[in-house]
Amino acid sequence: MKTLLSLGTLALLGLNLQPAFAGTAADSYNLVEKGRYLAVLGDCTACHTVPGQAPFSGGVAIETPFGKLVGANITPDPETGLGRWSFEDFLAVMSTGHSRGGKRLYGAMPFTAYTKVRREDNLALWAYLQTLQPVHNPVETNQLPFPFSVRTSLIGWNWLNFTQGEFVPAPDKSAQWNRGAYLVEGLGHCGTCHTPKNLIGGDDNDHFLAGANLQGWVAPDITANSHSGIGQWSTEDLVQYLKTGANRFDIASGPMAEAVENSTQHWTDEDLLAVAVYLKDGAAGKASPAPVAATDAAMVAGKAIYADRCSACHVSSGAGVKNLFPTLAAAPLVNNDDPTSLIRVVLAGSRAGGTDAAPTTPAMPSFAWNLSDDNIADVLTYVRNTWGNAAAPVTTSQVADLRKELAQ
Ligand code: HEC
Ligand code: HEC
Ligand code: HEC
């Protein structure tokens, strides 16, 4: 027997599931299993489960530029979780960002993406959440400093940043493309990290997926732009990256490594392929700028510094070493209009996987102490304009500014 749900659980699920799901126990089993998978697609765990603690009992701290928010307890505990909620209460959170009783939620709960989730998928998610072990764990989600802690300040925020409504399929696209769009724009909430933010922390949707600075990390451009985005990746490259966290171009670190671990590695191949098809189909975007000439003084100086300080790891062709040293040739991050993250990596160094990485993981050394601002500007100008790359030169003052900022 596959049916795991008792009649008691069914009664619990009853609520608004009538009459569409008034069917058999097998129907509700399928509904719960579907919901379980949808929770993986949405990576609810990332913000609602502290590793090692009861699933979805809340307490994960989320750093934002404005301060700290904490993921809520979403187990069916009546006092501290969603035990007294109806499906309509849950639906309101997902589609409008209003919590039970009308309280406005912060965008750290990615309802600006989840609003696209279809009602039938929300029914399944809700059915699944109802089967969780109730855990008594009071969580104060709002730990922002004043004035950001005032939820009424969100009225203006929502008005500026938020378009409510379920996903509308594009009639001129394939079912596969539309599935990919539904996942990326909706439950997958890829834009939460990959879309640049405006001054008040909302998504700048004119530049959807064009890359953003997170707290100490850069989520690169993942549009189909062949220059700054993933245009040179095949659909297989994308699927492999999302499935395993690495491919011939890059190794996922930091928040993306976590997203792969909790979420995308568990997606079906069909769904990953749909995502790849959708991402690859975006507008090819702006034309590549012409590379800086190899005879330019900065390029000549940069070439010598590269040979001396960088080529031991990234090799002279810029291709890196598979699974050890990332390629700098045809790398979206390297071609990004904004060189901030490149300058940061060279000044501060970096270790794939963040501070939790095994000490044996190869690291990118810091060059803050032995390369001048001029040196770093030159070597990065060279890296950004060699091996098929082309991007604006890096200036000495850009390096000097970031050096000052990092010193604080
Ligand atoms: C990126 C982090 C993040 C992800 C991913 C996330 N949440 Fe949340 N969620 C939050 C935060 C933070 C809050 C509290 C926001 C607030 O208090 O304004 C919250 C609040 C909620 C609430 C409201 C709880 C209450 O008591 O008001 C529900 C329900 C919820 N989340 C469900 C989900 C589900 C279901 C998923 C997956 C589909 C999910 N969340 C994914 C961060 C996240
Ligand atoms: C929690 C934030 C976060 C979320 C959510 C997220 N990403 Fe990422 N992503 C990142 C970061 C940070 C990187 C850069 C990782 C690195 O430098 O190794 C990245 C890297 C990538 C890359 C590699 C790009 C390159 O040029 O190397 C791809 C592809 C990607 N993400 C796709 C996705 C897709 C598709 C989704 C949604 C299903 C998604 N990401 C959701 C933060 C995120
Ligand atoms: C000892 C080996 C080593 C040397 C020398 C080295 N790097 Fe790195 N570099 C790495 C490793 C390892 C990473 C990956 C770190 C990570 O993902 O956190 C990296 C990452 C980078 C990145 C980010 C690439 C990406 O797509 O995430 C850039 C840019 C970079 N290095 C440039 C340079 C430059 C310029 C020099 C010379 C001034 C240099 N590196 C010298 C090992 C090295």
Side-chain angles (χ1 to χ4, degrees), residues 44-134:
C44 315
T45 290
C47 304
H48 290 282
T49 307
V50 174
Q53 312 249 321
F56 302 105
S57 61
V60 180
I62 299 140
E63 297 297 337
T64 79
F66 308 102
K68 195 166 79 171
L69 283 159
V70 179
N73 178 351
I74 57 170
T75 69
D77 180 62
E79 258 89 53
T80 63
L82 312 184
R84 297 206 175 98
W85 287 38
S86 67
F87 169 66
E88 298 301 329
D89 293 333
F90 174 71
L91 184 65
V93 166
M94 294 293 281
S95 62
T96 71
H98 285 80
S99 178
R100 193 164 182 251
K103 180 173 83 170
R104 281 165 198 277
L105 296 176
Y106 289 90
M109 163 67 189
F111 65 86
T112 50
Y114 294 160
T115 190
K116 302 227 169 182
V117 177
R118 295 197 181 94
R119 185 184 168 92
E120 75 235 38
D121 282 351
N122 278 316
L123 275 170
L125 262 172
W126 179 241
Y128 166 63
L129 291 177
Q130 299 262 283
T131 66
L132 296 170
Q133 184 67 38

Side-chain angles (χ1 to χ4, degrees), residues 379-393:
V379 75
L380 286 177
T381 298
Y382 171 77
V383 164
R384 278 158 71 79
N385 290 283
T386 310
W387 319 301
N389 294 337

Side-chain angles (χ1 to χ4, degrees), residues 188 190 193-194 218-220 222 233 238 241 250-253 255-256 267 332:
C190 314
C193 297
H194 286 279
V218 171
I222 55 166
W233 293 26
L238 272 166
Y241 182 87
D250 208 356
I251 309 165
S253 47
M256 192 63 205
W267 295 24

Side-chain angles (χ1 to χ4, degrees), residues 7 10 13-28 31:
L7 281 176
L10 264 181
L13 293 177
L15 306 167
N16 289 302
L17 307 186
Q18 319 285 354
F21 292 97
T24 62
D27 289 344
S28 70
L31 187 68

